[in-house]
Amino acid sequence: MVSTASLWNACGAPAMKDLEQAELKQEWESYTPEQHAIWRTLFHRQEAILARRACQPFLDGLKALGVEAEGIPDFRRLNEALERATRWGIVAVPGLVADDVFFEHLANRRFPSTCFIRRQDQLDYLQEPDIFHDIFGHVPMLMNPVFADYMQAYGEGGLKALRLGNLHHLARLYWYTVEFGLIRTAEGLRIYGSGIVSSKGESIYCLENPAPRRLGFALLRVMRTNYHIDRFQQTYFVIDDFRQLFDATRPDFTPYYAALANLPDLAPDAVLPSDTRFDREA
Ligand code: PHE
Ligand code: FE
């Protein structure tokens, strides 16, 4: 998924009706040749753009999955590779699922994915997640052991945030890491966020356009920051490595949530004196 229903709702999208947790099959055999061709078009386009823009774990994960040739991948095949690499799996869902269902899946190392693919006239932009976003965008990073553990921990944290009434704070963490995260490497900034890697325009914009802010990752700072669901981001948060992300999010968030109750939310384009900026580097 791009996100849980509440990631979208937090930004004023129409309230999503909770969907039943349907046991769904991908029904890979029923995709048409045209639908497989749309996958291949998107895949080859992104492969070229991401060669020197995506981080190495993403590129390695993509390669290890071996999904390119067949068109839309068969979840049964992906699940074999995922199971072997990190004991993750994919479950088919009809669309955005209820928050508790979403977190329960992640906490059990199951990634909920849509099955439908966008139409030919939607190649460049689709607001809601489709199978290209969910699979091409998310699954390569799930092949990485540290990131795989982060996603499971996030699911457990989601169930806790639901109980504590802090979902909007935790949802921002998902948005600015899993969906739109950047990482520093010796070769410069690289992409790991799935919302970026599945978007042709944003893959280039996030690294090369002078407009957006690129700020050092700081947990509470991220959880205070609102975001846009319907346009390129105004701010990207940059991690040093996945270990940093995992370690920063390991502690019990209960005291953080208490602190956040006294801190105002920040606009998507806010810059604080305490921010580390990576967009001003020569
Ligand atoms: N440690 C967090 C908590 O106690 C859980 C979490 C882990 C949240 C990883 C996000 C990412 O809530
Ligand atoms: Fe997603």
Side-chain angles (χ1 to χ4, degrees), residues 53 180 182 189-191 196 201-209 212-214 232 236:
R53 293 188 177 91
F180 291 96
L182 298 180
L189 298 187
R190 291 289 184 270
I191 305 162
I196 307 177
E202 196 150 4
S203 293
I204 298 168
Y205 174 90
C206 73
L207 295 178
E208 281 143 64
N209 195 291
R213 282 131 293 272
R214 301 171 186 91
F232 292 164
Y236 301 94

Side-chain angles (χ1 to χ4, degrees), residues 1-3 7-8 111 129 133-134 137-138 174 178-179 194-195 198:
M1 314 295 293
V2 146
S3 52
L7 289 192
W8 300 81
F111 190 76
H133 167 78
D134 284 336
H138 284 282
Y174 191 90
V178 177
E179 294 289 348
S194 54
S198 59

